[in-house]
């Protein structure tokens, strides 16, 4: 348990950056989805009607794609010894993907199940 706690407190920079990039995208889009959801629940007449499902699909795809691409941009592979140039490979993109999927789900559940009842 002590080892896991130390790993949690001192996460490697690439992992931290991957999680934070996905988390920022998920929070921005999740808050906009929550505002849209609350507006529809309060009876607001918005153009296009009830597009929550479409918004949800766009939310998940955007978090996964943007989180993966941002991770690919900010998390280069280790350059090794000397002045070797840092490279980016599909593995950087995969790291972003693996971080983005659970982050998208957790942010959406937290906003819908914890924050929404406090606001409504």
């Amino acid at each position: 348990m002590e080892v896991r706690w130390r790993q949690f407190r001192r996460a490697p920079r690439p992992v931290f950056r991957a999680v934070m990039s996905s988390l920022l995208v998920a929070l921005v889009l999740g808050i906009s989805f929550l505002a849209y959801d609350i507006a529809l629940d309060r009876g607001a007449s918005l153009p296009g009607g009830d597009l929550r499902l479409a918004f949800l699909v766009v939310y998940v795809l955007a978090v996964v794609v943007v989180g993966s691409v941002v991770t690919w941009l900010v998390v280069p592979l280790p350059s090794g010894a000397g002045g070797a140039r840092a490279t980016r490979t599909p593995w950087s993109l995969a790291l972003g993907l693996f971080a983005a999927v659970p982050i998208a789900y957790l942010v959406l559940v937290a906003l819908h199940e914890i924050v929404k009842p406090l606001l409504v």
Side-chain angles (χ1 to χ4, degrees):
M1 187 70 164
E2 181 181 331
V3 171
R4 296 293 177 228
W5 178 247
R6 187 173 53 245
Q7 287 174 341
F8 175 75
R9 283 190 334 217
R10 298 178 187 189
R13 280 189 203 148
V15 173
F16 179 77
R17 289 176 182 169
V19 169
M20 289 309 292
S21 63
S22 297
L23 183 62
L24 288 173
V25 172
L27 281 175
V28 169
L29 294 175
I31 290 170
S32 64
F33 177 72
L34 181 65
Y36 180 74
D37 190 28
I38 290 174
L40 285 177
D41 286 347
R42 291 185 177 167
S45 175
L46 299 172
D50 187 355
L51 298 173
R52 284 183 260 213
L53 182 60
F55 201 111
L56 186 62
V57 170
V58 169
Y59 163 80
V60 171
L61 289 176
V63 170
V64 168
V65 169
V66 173
S68 297
V69 170
V70 168
T71 301
W72 182 75
L73 290 173
V74 299
V75 182
L77 290 175
S79 60
R85 191 173 73 96
T87 59
R88 290 175 178 83
T89 67
W91 286 109
S92 298
L93 200 66
L95 176 65
L97 176 70
F98 293 137
V101 171
I103 293 291
Y105 176 75
L106 290 173
V107 167
L108 196 61
V109 168
L111 288 174
H112 194 267
E113 298 297 324
I114 297 170
V115 176
K116 184 180 177 183
L118 296 174
L119 298 175
V120 175

